[in-house]
Amino acid sequence: MANDDQFKKVISHAKEYGYVFQSSEIYDGLSAVYDYAQNGVELKKNIRDYWWKSMVQMHDNIVGLDASIFMHPTTWKASGHVDAFSDPLIDNKDSKKRYRADVLVEDYCAKIETKIEKEVKKAAKRFGDAFNKDEFLSTNPRVVGYQEKINSILKRLGQSLEKEDLADVKALIEELGIACPVAGSKNWTDVKQFNLMFGTKLGASADTAIDLYLRPETAQGIFVNFLNVQKTGRMKIPFGIAQTGKAFRNEIVARQFIFRMREFEQMEMQYFIKPGTQLKWFEYWKEERLKWHKSLGLGEENYRFHDHEKLAHYADAATDIEFRFPFGFKELEGIHSRTDFDLKQHEEFSGKKLQYFDHEDNASYTPYVLETSIGLDRMFLAVFSNALVEEELDNNTTRTVLKLPAVLAPNKAAILPLVKKDGLPEIAKQIVEDLKWDFNVTYDEKDAVGRRYRRQDANGTPFCITVDHDTLEDQSVTIRHRDTMEQKRVKIEDLKDIIKAEVDVKHWLKKMK
Ligand code: ATP
């Protein structure tokens, strides 16, 4: 299936099976704002819990926080967001469409990358088992040429953005001959900076109301609470503060479904460390976060690191964990060495000391910060798009399956009476009653059992449990596994343990070790 088609399928499946709806759909929707429906809200919650468990519960030196969305407006002066939280935008004069200039260039590079992937596929076919991908990538002249071209374009883009040389960003777009994807024209305006924060007002009367921002990241709520948490929790460096919550950005290009939203949720952890140790911790958290992703089994080949050429004003090292979305490799999570920039800025703007007294060194210092920041909605899209597959079956039919990691699936099991009579629904409902203390389970009696299996496959439910006439005699049921379609006869009393073995967080998170 072409990638575009796959992505369209992902979006329509998310709607049809109650995962994601466009916000205010009856009013024709609101651009880049989405609602999570009955299944989506469970999947999202399970991803959030999986992250929270691995961060907070599994680390005795990381604690949680839930800071408000509204913050004192000086916060955003101090953090640099008022002056510097902007994206370079460019308009096409013919289509009147607006784009992020850096994204136009990156998309151009992604196209060259697709050419590399095609060459790799061709060569893999030609050389068969003898194919060595790394060697091919580093020696094939055409591929090396493509890669050099990508590197030099991205380097120039990074440098121009770093120097705020927006004229050169436009020159680069023109030199590469990038055309508007809608109009096909190369009639571009100059590149301008555009601040991404949403403003609002606090207070009832027009004279006294103060200007506020909706937070564009959750991190600042952690920085301003750093000393409160450190003192009340008697935390010793190194220690972390983790938080999940909404963030808001007035994105210029809001396409690609829940990949880029104007209201979204972040899961961030700020790790407070001794100055000078930041590179060690940077490497540590890079590896740790990649292990977390891999523990979910979405395919190791679908991740890669992308080190930043252009560092944000607060960072001395930064990398993205990129994931292979249906539209190519894109940022899923950022890992940033933020130095002491934020704490120092808040010290300066608030006039309050934000230092840590190190008993071992008998000295005070402003800690450095290592940040891991992942978008919950992006993670949702990664999991969901990776899970949706169309499978050819032996009898020449196909089935649509949502192979969600069982630990994240909204419903862990569907309990199905074979027929709606002879006491089978009563037994099935009793099984639901017993299991619902431990798992989210659902009851389904409508349609033939084969159709119900298909429905649950498409819903992502890892197990179907069928109650039939033999159950009346032997207190056993048939348990069917979503991915293998294997069916087994098991005792009703064993169901809980069988399901638990596959959906338990411990079983999955242990893979990180
Ligand atoms: P991008 O380059 O894609 O705009 P970013 O580098 O600005 O992202 P960060 O500020 O590092 O992103 O935010 C951390 C994480 O928050 C990102 O890795 C991403 O998963 C998520 N995120 C950022 N912006 C959005 C958005 N508009 N919609 C959904 N998730 C987002």
Side-chain angles (χ1 to χ4, degrees):
M1 207 181 309
N3 287 349
D4 263 2
D5 292 348
Q6 167 67 3
F7 192 35
K8 280 190 195 133
K9 272 207 97 183
V10 165
I11 297 170
S12 63
H13 196 89
K15 180 171 178 198
E16 192 182 337
Y17 286 88
Y19 277 85
V20 183
F21 300 150
Q22 171 117 54
S23 155
S24 338
E25 200 192 66
I26 58 167
Y27 295 106
D28 296 332
L30 189 62
S31 152
V33 188
Y34 291 90
D35 298 340
Y36 288 88
Q38 66 277 15
N39 280 323
V41 72
E42 295 288 342
L43 173 57
K44 193 173 168 197
K45 176 181 160 296
N46 292 343
I47 296 173
R48 193 190 293 111
D49 288 350
Y50 194 68
W51 182 88
W52 191 265
K53 275 232 158 88
S54 79
M55 278 294 178
V56 180
Q57 202 164 320
M58 302 310 294
H59 289 94
D60 52 13
N61 66 341
I62 300 181
V63 293
L65 180 78
D66 183 14
S68 296
I69 287 171
F70 289 150
M71 297 185 69
H72 193 284
T74 309
T75 310
W76 306 110
K77 271 252 150 232
S79 67
H81 283 82
V82 171
D83 296 324
F85 190 59
S86 48
D87 278 339
L89 74 85
I90 188 165
D91 292 291
N92 184 276
K93 292 183 195 163
D94 299 320
S95 66
K96 310 272 182 264
K97 291 276 174 206
R98 181 159 277 188
Y99 298 93
R100 250 174 77 175
D102 54 336
V103 172
L104 281 180
V105 176
E106 281 165 10
D107 285 350
Y108 179 89
C109 291
K111 282 196 189 126
I112 309 179
E113 213 159 82
T114 314
K115 289 184 187 167
I116 298 181
E117 279 174 16
K118 274 196 188 138
E119 294 287 339
V120 169
K121 261 198 193 141
K122 261 198 321 205
K125 220 174 176 182
R126 191 157 17 110
F127 294 114
D129 287 346
F131 181 60
N132 178 331
K133 188 174 169 191
D134 289 340
E135 192 184 321
F136 180 76
L137 288 176
S138 60
T139 54
N140 179 279
R142 197 173 304 156
V143 168
V144 171
Y146 285 146
Q147 195 55 55
E148 278 170 0
K149 186 164 182 199
I150 294 176
N151 294 348
S152 90
I153 294 171
L154 291 181
K155 188 162 182 203
R156 176 157 158 209
L157 176 70
Q159 285 170 344
S160 309
L161 290 173
E162 180 91 63
K163 287 185 289 182
E164 290 275 320
D165 186 354
L166 299 181
D168 190 57
V169 177
K170 182 179 180 188
L172 181 60
I173 289 174
E174 287 177 334
E175 279 167 39
L176 296 174
I178 296 176
C180 166
V182 175
S185 109
K186 298 173 188 170
N187 193 7
W188 297 109
T189 62
D190 286 343
V191 179
K192 287 181 291 228
Q193 289 291 8
F194 173 80
N195 195 294
L196 301 180
M197 283 199 294
F198 284 104
T200 185
K201 299 233 177 254
L202 178 132
S205 87
D207 318 335
T208 56
I210 58 168
D211 288 319
L212 287 190
Y213 294 104
L214 298 183
R215 66 179 178 198
E217 63 175 25
T218 53
Q220 299 304 324
I222 294 181
F223 294 130
V224 299
N225 279 298
F226 152 74
L227 210 53
N228 280 340
V229 173
Q230 190 272 319
K231 290 227 154 96
T232 56
R234 290 188 308 227
M235 309 301 291
K236 279 208 186 82
I237 274 179
F239 73 91
I241 304 179
Q243 167 165 241
T244 71
K246 286 278 171 100
F248 304 82
R249 295 182 188 179
N250 196 3
E251 297 281 1
I252 300 167
V253 199
R255 293 182 273 125
Q256 297 172 319
F257 193 39
I258 54 173
F259 179 81
R260 191 174 298 288
M261 301 158 90
R262 296 204 163 102
E263 172 180 343
F264 59 101
E265 194 163 335
Q266 290 186 311
M267 307 192 285
E268 297 198 307
M269 194 277 299
Q270 311 291 329
Y271 204 62
F272 297 90
I273 54 178
K274 199 168 168 174
T277 61
Q278 66 268 32
L279 280 184
K280 176 183 100 183
W281 288 115
F282 181 62
E283 292 305 326
Y284 173 83
W285 281 108
K286 264 175 83 168
E287 290 313 313
E288 202 60 16
R289 292 304 303 145
L290 192 61
K291 277 197 235 161
W292 181 83
H293 285 285
K294 287 183 177 169
S295 71
L296 287 168
L298 307 189
E300 309 218 339
E301 69 289 359
N302 292 324
Y303 299 91
R304 69 181 189 194
F305 285 118
H306 170 241
D307 293 330
H308 286 206
E309 279 284 338
K310 177 193 180 232
L311 291 171
H313 56 278
Y314 51 75
D316 72 353
T319 197
D320 297 334
I321 296 179
E322 294 188 337
F323 183 76
R324 195 199 300 264
F325 288 97
F327 36 84
F329 271 103
K330 292 273 178 203
E331 171 176 346
L332 170 59
E333 169 157 12
I335 296 159
H336 309 124
S337 170
R338 293 185 77 128
T339 68
D340 56 1
F341 175 84
D342 302 272
L343 291 181
K344 280 252 167 78
Q345 287 290 105
H346 288 305
E347 271 196 323
E348 189 185 323
F349 278 76
S350 68
K352 311 266 164 42
K353 262 208 161 358
L354 293 177
Q355 295 211 336
Y356 171 79
F357 183 74
D358 195 322
H359 287 277
E360 275 170 26
D361 292 2
N362 205 21
S364 291
Y365 55 80
T366 309
Y368 268 39
V369 172
L370 208 289
E371 164 183 82
T372 72
S373 173
I374 172 168
L376 176 49
D377 314 84
R378 261 185 214 184
M379 186 62 197
F380 184 112
L381 182 59
V383 169
F384 191 89
S385 59
N386 184 273
L388 185 62
V389 288
E390 195 106 326
E391 260 182 13
E392 302 274 344
L393 300 180
D394 290 344
N395 57 0
N396 278 339
T397 56
T398 56
R399 68 164 185 154
T400 303
V401 205
L402 194 60
K403 292 188 169 178
L404 297 171
V407 63
L408 302 180
N411 280 304
K412 305 306 185 197
I415 324 299
L416 323 170
L418 187 63
V419 289
K420 272 192 273 183
K421 56 182 186 185
D422 305 334
L424 304 190
E426 286 73 13
I427 300 178
K429 282 178 187 161
Q430 187 54 50
I431 295 176
V432 169
E433 279 306 306
D434 293 343
L435 291 179
K436 75 181 186 191
W437 295 92
D438 297 289
F439 318 106
N440 237 352
V441 291
T442 180
Y443 174 81
D444 189 1
E445 61 173 24
K446 201 165 169 287
D447 301 322
V449 78
R451 287 190 67 179
R452 280 180 271 167
Y453 283 158
R454 289 288 177 275
R455 187 152 65 227
Q456 295 302 332
D457 285 347
N459 249 324
T461 312
F463 294 106
C464 282
I465 293 160
T466 307
V467 176
D468 57 23
H469 290 96
D470 288 344
T471 310
L472 299 168
E473 309 297 324
D474 62 5
Q475 282 75 51
S476 293
V477 287
T478 301
I479 185 162
R480 173 185 178 273
H481 202 281
R482 176 195 66 197
D483 297 349
T484 58
M485 295 193 287
E486 228 173 55
Q487 302 192 11
K488 258 197 208 144
R489 201 73 195 163
V490 301
K491 288 269 171 221
I492 292 176
E493 64 191 32
D494 294 336
L495 280 173
K496 184 177 154 191
D497 288 342
I498 293 170
I499 299 172
K500 187 162 184 245
E502 291 217 23
V503 308
D504 200 24
V505 176
K506 186 170 164 190
H507 164 74
W508 291 78
L509 269 185
K510 270 205 159 167
K511 295 183 196 159
M512 282 182 75
K513 296 284 169 223

